[in-house]
Amino acid sequence: MDACAAYRRVLGVACVALAFVAPLAHAQEREPGHQEAPRGIGAQVMLTNSGFGLGGYVRRLLRDDQVFTVEVNVSNTKDEREVAFFDRFGRQDVPNKANYLLEIPLQLGLERRLFRSRIEDNFRPFFHVSAGPVLGWVYPYFGDDNNNGTFDSGERTYGALSGVTRGRAVPGLSASASIGANFGELEGASQGVRIGFRISRFHEPVELLERSIKPPDQVLMTPMILVYFGRLIR
């Protein structure tokens, strides 16, 4: 299954989960509208058009219904035109690929809880926006021995891990917007999901495909789903 198909499947599962969990939130007997514990920490699993990513977060209650967040994650980014082929020995070939890119954004955000007085506390929908610096780590897909920018017969290709040490840093800025919901109690174990969109602008264009196929991109965008697990602490 490619990343786009995986994204659509997870998006469908998330929507179905939200549809079933929302009515169940009204089953609690206590009065709705309480605030979450003021501090939180946890880990994230992210799904984008390019695949999976991992990260972490901390959060702090600022005032009623408003939470300040700090998030960092790392994920692989690729061009939507990339198609990988494998031979009988499991060796990968990605025609016209030029470079790998790892995105490592550090984002400061604001989360606004929605409908606190109308929905029970075990289902807490919210809107989230964030922005901050992003570090791109660009490293080659192949060893360009003749420096012509094109993969030629006899040139070596690098794997997603074997070429990391040959890379260079490209700084930039990123921002994201999403909607989601937190589930469970207001203190202790916490989990939730967010569905949104992220945009990154690097200080210089990043060449993901060979220049003869597509010019380098300075702005990269992707939909995203984040599933996170952590703790809320008094």
Side-chain angles (χ1 to χ4, degrees), residues 59-78:
R59 50 190 286 128
R60 180 77 180 185
L61 183 66
L62 296 179
R63 52 183 298 182
D64 286 357
D65 301 331
Q66 295 183 13
V67 175
F68 173 72
T69 63
V70 179
E71 301 176 315
V72 62
N73 56 65
V74 56
S75 61
N76 175 55
T77 298
K78 61 183 181 181

Side-chain angles (χ1 to χ4, degrees), residues 79-138:
D79 191 272
E80 59 185 13
R81 301 185 189 183
E82 291 185 23
V83 179
F85 297 92
F86 297 87
D87 64 16
R88 68 180 63 183
F89 303 106
R91 291 176 299 206
Q92 177 181 267
D93 177 38
V94 186
N96 305 314
K97 185 177 180 67
N99 292 292
Y100 295 98
L101 172 63
L102 292 179
E103 279 191 77
I104 311 173
L106 172 64
Q107 293 192 335
L108 309 181
L110 183 65
E111 181 178 300
R112 172 74 179 186
R113 183 176 170 183
L114 305 174
F115 315 120
R116 179 165 62 93
S117 63
R118 300 180 182 180
I119 299 178
E120 294 288 347
D121 291 329
N122 63 344
F123 177 77
R124 305 182 293 279
F126 61 81
F127 177 71
H128 186 276
V129 292
S130 59
V134 59
L135 178 66
W137 187 254
V138 184

Side-chain angles (χ1 to χ4, degrees), residues 9-234:
R9 175 168 292 186
V10 173
L11 179 60
V13 171
C15 292
V16 171
L18 290 175
F20 276 96
V21 172
L24 294 176
H26 295 278
Q28 288 190 352
E29 296 181 357
R30 67 185 181 189
E31 180 183 354
H34 296 79
Q35 294 288 338
E36 291 180 340
R39 294 175 293 148
I41 187 170
Q44 299 173 336
V45 178
M46 180 172 62
L47 178 63
T48 71
N49 273 347
S50 300
F52 289 92
L54 297 173
Y57 70 89
V58 294
R59 50 190 286 128
R60 180 77 180 185
L61 183 66
L62 296 179
R63 52 183 298 182
D64 286 357
D65 301 331
Q66 295 183 13
V67 175
F68 173 72
T69 63
V70 179
E71 301 176 315
V72 62
N73 56 65
V74 56
S75 61
N76 175 55
T77 298
K78 61 183 181 181
D79 191 272
E80 59 185 13
R81 301 185 189 183
E82 291 185 23
V83 179
F85 297 92
F86 297 87
D87 64 16
R88 68 180 63 183
F89 303 106
R91 291 176 299 206
Q92 177 181 267
D93 177 38
V94 186
N96 305 314
K97 185 177 180 67
N99 292 292
Y100 295 98
L101 172 63
L102 292 179
E103 279 191 77
I104 311 173
L106 172 64
Q107 293 192 335
L108 309 181
L110 183 65
E111 181 178 300
R112 172 74 179 186
R113 183 176 170 183
L114 305 174
F115 315 120
R116 179 165 62 93
S117 63
R118 300 180 182 180
I119 299 178
E120 294 288 347
D121 291 329
N122 63 344
F123 177 77
R124 305 182 293 279
F126 61 81
F127 177 71
H128 186 276
V129 292
S130 59
V134 59
L135 178 66
W137 187 254
V138 184
Y139 56 102
Y141 170 67
F142 63 92
D144 192 7
D145 297 332
N146 55 10
N147 295 316
N148 67 349
T150 302
F151 176 66
D152 298 311
S153 177
E155 292 181 332
R156 176 187 177 186
T157 59
Y158 301 113
L161 297 179
S162 61
V164 169
T165 57
R166 303 173 184 271
R168 61 187 179 88
V170 180
L173 297 172
S174 69
S176 64
S178 55
I179 58 173
N182 295 312
F183 306 103
E185 299 300 323
L186 299 174
E187 182 177 350
S190 172
Q191 54 276 327
V193 62
R194 277 166 44 197
I195 302 173
F197 192 83
R198 186 179 74 189
I199 180 171
S200 300
R201 186 182 191 278
F202 293 96
H203 290 179
E204 63 181 74
V206 177
E207 184 179 353
L208 296 177
L209 297 179
E210 296 176 2
R211 291 177 181 265
S212 60
I213 302 300
K214 183 180 179 181
D217 291 311
Q218 193 167 5
V219 177
L220 300 174
M221 299 177 286
T222 183
M224 62 181 185
I225 296 176
L226 291 100
V227 179
Y228 48 95
F229 310 89
R231 293 194 65 82
L232 297 171
I233 308 166
R234 290 289 179 189

